[in-house]
mmCIF file of all heavy atoms in Angstrom:
data_model
loop_
_atom_site.group_PDB
_atom_site.id
_atom_site.type_symbol
_atom_site.label_atom_id
_atom_site.label_comp_id
_atom_site.label_asym_id
_atom_site.label_seq_id
_atom_site.Cartn_x
_atom_site.Cartn_y
_atom_site.Cartn_z
ATOM 1 N N HIS A 926 172.945 78.095 98.268
ATOM 2 C CA HIS A 926 171.575 78.624 98.205
ATOM 3 C C HIS A 926 170.570 77.598 98.745
ATOM 4 O O HIS A 926 169.687 77.131 98.008
ATOM 5 C CB HIS A 926 171.215 78.997 96.767
ATOM 6 C CG HIS A 926 172.086 80.051 96.174
ATOM 7 N ND1 HIS A 926 171.897 81.406 96.403
ATOM 8 C CD2 HIS A 926 173.182 79.961 95.365
ATOM 9 C CE1 HIS A 926 172.818 82.092 95.763
ATOM 10 N NE2 HIS A 926 173.614 81.247 95.128
ATOM 11 N N PRO A 927 170.664 77.239 100.011
ATOM 12 C CA PRO A 927 169.739 76.232 100.555
ATOM 13 C C PRO A 927 168.295 76.733 100.602
ATOM 14 O O PRO A 927 167.360 75.938 100.636
ATOM 15 C CB PRO A 927 170.288 75.984 101.969
ATOM 16 C CG PRO A 927 170.979 77.272 102.323
ATOM 17 C CD PRO A 927 171.571 77.771 101.044
ATOM 18 N N GLU A 928 168.110 78.064 100.581
ATOM 19 C CA GLU A 928 166.765 78.614 100.745
ATOM 20 C C GLU A 928 165.825 78.199 99.607
ATOM 21 O O GLU A 928 164.612 78.085 99.798
ATOM 22 C CB GLU A 928 166.821 80.145 100.851
ATOM 23 C CG GLU A 928 167.155 80.900 99.575
ATOM 24 C CD GLU A 928 168.630 80.921 99.222
ATOM 25 O OE1 GLU A 928 169.453 80.407 100.029
ATOM 26 O OE2 GLU A 928 168.992 81.438 98.150
ATOM 27 N N MET A 929 166.374 77.950 98.405
ATOM 28 C CA MET A 929 165.523 77.603 97.270
ATOM 29 C C MET A 929 164.859 76.244 97.483
ATOM 30 O O MET A 929 163.643 76.091 97.338
ATOM 31 C CB MET A 929 166.347 77.595 95.979
ATOM 32 C CG MET A 929 165.521 77.321 94.731
ATOM 33 S SD MET A 929 164.265 78.560 94.400
ATOM 34 C CE MET A 929 165.282 79.893 93.779
ATOM 35 N N ILE A 930 165.651 75.247 97.852
ATOM 36 C CA ILE A 930 165.103 73.911 98.095
ATOM 37 C C ILE A 930 164.200 73.928 99.329
ATOM 38 O O ILE A 930 163.152 73.278 99.361
ATOM 39 C CB ILE A 930 166.260 72.890 98.277
ATOM 40 C CG1 ILE A 930 167.049 72.748 96.973
ATOM 41 C CG2 ILE A 930 165.718 71.534 98.697
ATOM 42 C CD1 ILE A 930 166.318 72.052 95.856
ATOM 43 N N GLN A 931 164.607 74.697 100.350
ATOM 44 C CA GLN A 931 163.793 74.778 101.570
ATOM 45 C C GLN A 931 162.437 75.420 101.276
ATOM 46 O O GLN A 931 161.407 74.975 101.805
ATOM 47 C CB GLN A 931 164.546 75.578 102.645
ATOM 48 C CG GLN A 931 165.749 74.826 103.203
ATOM 49 C CD GLN A 931 166.631 75.707 104.076
ATOM 50 O OE1 GLN A 931 166.371 76.896 104.244
ATOM 51 N NE2 GLN A 931 167.683 75.112 104.635
ATOM 52 N N GLN A 932 162.445 76.430 100.427
ATOM 53 C CA GLN A 932 161.196 77.088 100.050
ATOM 54 C C GLN A 932 160.252 76.095 99.361
ATOM 55 O O GLN A 932 159.047 76.081 99.621
ATOM 56 C CB GLN A 932 161.489 78.265 99.116
ATOM 57 C CG GLN A 932 160.248 78.910 98.486
ATOM 58 C CD GLN A 932 159.355 79.566 99.515
ATOM 59 O OE1 GLN A 932 159.836 80.277 100.379
ATOM 60 N NE2 GLN A 932 158.071 79.304 99.446
ATOM 61 N N MET A 933 160.814 75.248 98.497
ATOM 62 C CA MET A 933 159.977 74.269 97.794
ATOM 63 C C MET A 933 159.455 73.197 98.748
ATOM 64 O O MET A 933 158.326 72.725 98.600
ATOM 65 C CB MET A 933 160.748 73.680 96.619
ATOM 66 C CG MET A 933 160.889 74.690 95.474
ATOM 67 S SD MET A 933 161.420 73.992 93.914
ATOM 68 C CE MET A 933 163.179 74.205 94.035
ATOM 69 N N LEU A 934 160.249 72.838 99.729
ATOM 70 C CA LEU A 934 159.777 71.902 100.753
ATOM 71 C C LEU A 934 158.581 72.501 101.489
ATOM 72 O O LEU A 934 157.552 71.837 101.688
ATOM 73 C CB LEU A 934 160.914 71.589 101.739
ATOM 74 C CG LEU A 934 160.542 70.876 103.044
ATOM 75 C CD1 LEU A 934 159.823 69.565 102.771
ATOM 76 C CD2 LEU A 934 161.795 70.614 103.882
ATOM 77 N N SER A 935 158.717 73.761 101.872
ATOM 78 C CA SER A 935 157.630 74.450 102.563
ATOM 79 C C SER A 935 156.384 74.547 101.687
ATOM 80 O O SER A 935 155.263 74.306 102.136
ATOM 81 C CB SER A 935 158.101 75.851 102.973
ATOM 82 O OG SER A 935 157.046 76.592 103.522
ATOM 83 N N THR A 936 156.586 74.875 100.398
ATOM 84 C CA THR A 936 155.464 75.018 99.464
ATOM 85 C C THR A 936 154.706 73.701 99.314
ATOM 86 O O THR A 936 153.471 73.662 99.425
ATOM 87 C CB THR A 936 155.977 75.479 98.081
ATOM 88 O OG1 THR A 936 156.603 76.750 98.213
ATOM 89 C CG2 THR A 936 154.834 75.576 97.080
#
Side-chain angles (χ1 to χ4, degrees):
H926 299 278
E928 72 281 355
M929 183 62 75
I930 295 290
Q931 290 170 358
Q932 171 65 46
M933 287 194 267
L934 167 56
S935 174
T936 298

